[in-house]
Amino acid sequence: MMNRLLSVCLLTGLLGFSHLAKAEITVTIDRKPVHVNESFQLFFEADQKPDRNPDFSPLQKDFVLFNSSQSNSISIINGDYRRSIKWTLQLMPKRVGEVIVPAIHFGKDRSNAFKVDVKPASQNTALAGEGLIFELSSDKASIPVQGQIVVRLRLLTNLNISAYQMGDLDIDGVEVVVEPLGRARQYRTQLGDTPYLVREKKFALFPQQTGELKIKPVLAEVQLGVRAQSLFDPFPESNNIRRVRSQGLTLEVTSIADSYAAPHWLPATSVRLADHWQGDLSRVVAGEPVTRTISLVAEGLTAAQLPDLAVQDIAGVKQYPDKPLLQDQRTTEGIIGTREQKIALIPTAAGSYTLPEIAIPWWNVNTHRQEVARIPSRTLNVHPAAENGIVSRQNLDPVPVNPVGQATPASSGTETNRFWIWLSLFLALGWMVSILAWWIVRRRPTRPGPTPPAIAVVSLRKAKRRLKQTCVGNNAPETRDALLNWAKCIDPDQQFSRLSQIARYFGEPLKGHIDALNLSLYSQGGTDWDGETLWQACASYARRPKDYAGKEEGNRLQPLIP
C-alpha cells in the first residue's frame, strides 16, 4: 500500500514539474486603439526559454511586418530568480475591424490568440503632401465634471529632422488638473501614398468646473537635419528651424447627473471592487488576527479621487485599519487609480460573524448610467481558542469518511517495481533511526531546576524591568512579549499566550491600554503609540492583587490541568 502511495505522489510531482516547465507566453500591445494607416508594436513575452524560436509568418495575412527584435532580462526579487524573453514586432494592419492575431507557435509552446481593434484612417488625406503636420485632438467632445478627457498631440513629418519640441497645453475657461501619460511615443503612419513618422504625446485632463474647456493652439518647433555642404565639412548645418502650430480645441464639461444619488461623485469608464484574505478563513481562531485587503480600482480616475473604504463596526470583532495605499497607473488610454485598504480583524470570541456588504456607487461615462461595485456579505466562522494557546486540529480539519456500504476501490494487481521496494526500505530505515535517537535523548538524566518560588520572585523583578524598558522605548513588538512574560509572573497558574487573555483577566484600565497596543501592532502603516501609559498601568499591579483576585471564575483563565 505504501509503495503505491509513494508511486502516486512522485508521479504527481513529476507531472506538476513538467507542467511548470512549459513556457507561458503573454501577448501585449503598446497602445489602443490603432488605425489602419498606423504602425504599432506587439510584444510576445515568455517567462522562460520556449521549445523553439517563434514562427511569425501567420501574421502577414492581416499585418505588414516591418521589423522584429528579441531581448532577454533577468531579475531577482526577494530571492526569486526570474528570467524572461521578449520579442518586439512593429506591425501595420491591412484592414479595419477586429483583427485577430493568431496563436504563434514556439515549437511545442504557443501563445494565445489576441484581438486588435483597428479603426479607420485617422487623418484627412487632403493633408497628404505636407512635409510637417501638427495635430491636437481628444477622445471625447464632452465629459462630466471631474471626469477624464485624453488629449493627444501628434507631430507628423516626412522630413529629416534632428530635434523637435512640443509646447505645453494652454487651457482657458475652467480649472483643470493635467496629468501626462508617459513619454512621447513614435510610430509610422501613411496619408494617401505618403509615409510619415509620428511623434505622439498624450495627457489626461480632469476638469474641476462645468463650462467650456478651451485649449489654445499649441506650437511645435522642429530642427531640420541638412547634409554637409562640403566633403571637408563633417558637421551638417543645424540652424534650419521650422515652427508649426496646431488647431485649437473646445470641449464641453457637464454637471453632475440629476439621477445620480450617492455621497461620492465617481465618473469613470470602469470600477472594480474586490477583497482577498491573508491566511486560511476556515482556521480563524478567537483572539488571533486575520488580515483583509480591500481594493478599489477605477479606470478614468486618479487614486486621490477615490473615496475612503470605511468599515462598519462588527459586534465581537475588533478592526484595525491600516493607512490606505494609493497608486496611479498611466496607460495610453488614461489613468487607472487604485485604493488599497488593509484591515486586521481580531475576533474576541468563538462564533459566526457576518461581515456586511460593501457597495460603491459610480457613474459610467460611456453608458451615462449609475452603477454599483459590490463586495457581498460574508460569514466568518471563528473557532474557540484552547486555554494553552494551541487549537486542536480536530476542531479545524474535517475527517473524510467513506459513505456506508461504499468500499474503497482496489487498484489492479501489478508486479511491484524493485525501485519502489528499495525506496520504501530506505525510508523505513530512516524512520527507525529517528525513533532510536529520540529514545536515547529521552533517557538522558536532566538537571533538577531551582524551586518554583525562587524563580517566580527573580523572574517577576526581571520581567518588570524588561517591560519598563520596552514601554518607555515605545517598542510595540517587544512590549507584546514582555507583557506576556510579566503576566505569567504575576499569576503562574494561568497559561497566558495572547494579549486578549491578559485583557480579559485584568480588565480595565489595562484592557484599554492593550487595545491601543494591538492597534499599533496590526496597523502596518504604523500608529503613534505611547508605551509610558501602559507601563504606569502595569506598575500598579503586584502578585495576585486584591482588586482582581476575586473576579468571577468565568472571567478567569482555567488552569491547563485541573
Side-chain angles (χ1 to χ4, degrees):
M1 182 64 184
M2 179 171 289
N3 293 336
R4 297 194 186 100
L5 182 59
L6 289 172
S7 302
V8 172
C9 292
L10 288 179
L11 287 175
T12 304
L14 290 175
L15 290 174
F17 178 78
S18 64
H19 175 73
L20 292 176
K22 187 176 180 180
E24 182 180 353
I25 303 169
T26 58
V27 186
T28 55
I29 194 172
D30 66 337
R31 70 182 190 278
K32 293 180 183 179
V34 297
H35 294 81
V36 69
N37 60 338
E38 297 176 358
S39 67
F40 65 94
Q41 288 185 329
L42 193 67
F43 307 102
F44 293 83
E45 186 170 3
D47 59 350
Q48 56 183 299
K49 186 179 176 72
D51 182 45
R52 292 182 183 178
N53 291 328
D55 178 16
F56 293 126
S57 59
L59 296 174
Q60 297 178 359
K61 177 183 177 182
D62 295 311
F63 301 93
V64 177
L65 176 60
F66 290 107
N67 55 60
S68 63
S69 61
Q70 177 182 338
S71 60
N72 297 270
S73 64
I74 297 176
S75 61
I76 301 177
I77 302 176
N78 297 328
D80 184 16
Y81 174 87
R82 183 177 183 272
R83 177 187 177 185
S84 63
I85 306 175
K86 189 173 186 179
W87 290 265
T88 303
L89 282 68
Q90 189 172 18
L91 306 171
M92 180 180 287
K94 295 180 180 179
R95 60 182 178 88
V96 177
E98 291 185 354
V99 183
I100 302 299
V101 175
I104 300 300
H105 289 268
F106 295 70
K108 295 180 181 179
D109 301 322
R110 57 178 289 179
S111 65
N112 294 325
F114 186 80
K115 184 177 70 174
V116 178
D117 188 15
V118 181
K119 300 294 185 182
S122 60
Q123 296 298 323
N124 188 349
T125 56
L127 296 175
E130 294 285 341
L132 196 61
I133 303 173
F134 191 37
E135 295 180 335
L136 170 65
S137 62
S138 66
D139 64 337
K140 299 181 183 69
S142 64
I143 193 71
V145 62
Q146 297 180 2
Q148 173 186 263
I149 296 179
V150 177
V151 172
R152 179 176 67 170
L153 289 172
R154 296 208 322 168
L155 179 64
L156 300 87
T157 178
N158 60 0
L159 304 176
N160 180 26
I161 66 174
S162 58
Y164 74 96
Q165 183 176 1
M166 300 181 189
D168 297 329
L169 298 179
D170 190 359
I171 302 174
D172 277 344
V174 299
E175 181 182 352
V176 178
V177 175
V178 180
E179 296 284 349
L181 296 178
R183 297 181 297 178
R185 296 176 177 270
Q186 183 172 299
Y187 56 91
R188 300 178 185 179
T189 189
Q190 188 165 331
L191 302 181
D193 297 329
T194 306
Y196 283 85
L197 187 64
V198 182
R199 280 86 171 179
E200 178 184 87
K201 290 181 67 176
K202 286 187 174 182
F203 303 87
L205 275 58
F206 297 89
Q208 304 299 302
Q209 299 171 331
T210 59
E212 285 191 346
L213 188 157
K214 298 180 180 180
I215 305 178
K216 296 181 180 180
V218 182
L219 181 66
E221 186 175 279
V222 175
Q223 183 173 308
L224 301 180
V226 183
R227 294 182 178 179
Q229 301 295 325
S230 171
L231 295 177
F232 299 99
D233 183 10
F235 301 101
E237 294 182 0
S238 59
N239 56 358
N240 190 356
I241 297 176
R242 292 181 59 181
R243 293 181 176 87
V244 61
R245 194 179 298 274
S246 73
Q247 75 277 17
L249 194 62
T250 300
L251 307 172
E252 182 184 4
V253 183
T254 61
S255 59
I256 299 175
D258 296 335
S259 60
Y260 187 81
H264 302 283
W265 171 242
L266 298 177
T269 57
S270 173
V271 174
R272 301 185 299 275
L273 188 62
D275 68 339
H276 64 273
W277 297 77
Q278 181 179 352
D280 189 355
L281 289 185
S282 64
R283 298 173 180 243
V284 180
V285 179
E288 296 294 335
V290 59
T291 302
R292 183 189 194 187
T293 303
I294 304 175
S295 300
L296 178 62
V297 182
E299 296 182 11
L301 291 174
T302 64
Q305 294 176 271
L306 303 181
D308 293 335
L309 298 173
V311 294
Q312 302 181 23
D313 293 336
I314 305 172
V317 179
K318 296 181 179 180
Q319 302 184 71
Y320 302 99
D322 196 3
K323 292 181 179 179
L325 175 63
L326 305 181
Q327 184 177 5
D328 287 332
Q329 179 185 356
R330 287 169 168 79
T331 69
T332 57
E333 300 177 82
I335 291 181
I336 301 176
T338 301
R339 188 182 189 96
E340 186 176 272
Q341 179 74 66
K342 292 183 180 292
I343 306 171
L345 293 85
I346 304 180
T348 57
S352 295
Y353 300 92
T354 300
L355 307 183
E357 175 190 67
I358 301 177
I360 303 292
W362 62 284
W363 182 259
N364 192 323
V365 297
N366 293 330
T367 61
H368 308 289
R369 293 176 56 185
Q370 179 176 330
E371 300 184 16
V372 180
R374 302 178 187 274
I375 296 178
S377 60
R378 177 191 293 271
T379 300
L380 201 63
N381 295 317
V382 180
H383 299 275
E387 294 299 334
N388 58 356
I390 302 176
V391 180
S392 173
R393 295 184 62 86
Q394 296 178 356
N395 296 332
L396 300 180
D397 296 335
V399 180
V401 179
N402 289 334
V404 178
Q406 180 177 348
T408 302
S411 60
S412 60
T414 58
E415 185 178 354
T416 306
N417 193 307
R418 291 184 179 181
F419 171 76
W420 302 116
I421 295 177
W422 285 108
L423 180 60
S424 302
L425 291 175
F426 176 76
L427 295 175
L429 180 61
W431 180 62
M432 293 175 64
V433 171
S434 300
I435 293 178
L436 180 60
W438 173 80
W439 181 76
I440 293 174
V441 172
R442 291 279 295 178
R443 286 184 58 84
R444 290 181 180 176
T446 57
R447 297 181 180 179
T451 58
I455 285 181
V457 174
V458 175
S459 297
L460 178 60
R461 188 163 55 248
K462 290 183 178 180
K464 292 180 66 174
R465 184 165 60 248
R466 178 59 180 163
L467 179 60
K468 182 178 180 180
Q469 291 174 352
T470 58
C471 288
V472 173
N474 295 328
N475 190 330
E478 293 189 8
T479 299
R480 176 188 181 278
D481 298 335
L483 188 60
L484 287 170
N485 291 332
W486 170 82
K488 292 175 183 177
C489 294
I490 288 289
D491 193 344
D493 294 337
Q494 303 300 322
Q495 298 294 327
F496 295 109
S497 61
R498 293 181 299 276
L499 295 182
S500 58
Q501 295 174 330
I502 301 176
R504 289 196 303 268
Y505 183 76
F506 286 90
E508 296 294 349
L510 189 56
K511 182 177 181 298
H513 296 295
I514 291 178
D515 289 342
L517 176 60
N518 272 326
L519 179 60
S520 177
L521 285 171
Y522 300 118
S523 180
Q524 297 181 6
T527 57
D528 295 332
W529 176 68
D530 184 11
E532 181 68 28
T533 58
L534 174 61
W535 163 244
Q536 295 297 335
C538 294
S540 61
Y541 289 102
R543 179 179 300 279
R544 299 183 185 276
K546 296 180 181 179
D547 56 343
Y548 62 89
K551 287 190 175 183
E552 297 83 6
E553 194 67 20
N555 293 334
R556 294 173 57 88
L557 295 174
Q558 300 299 324
L560 181 62
I561 301 177

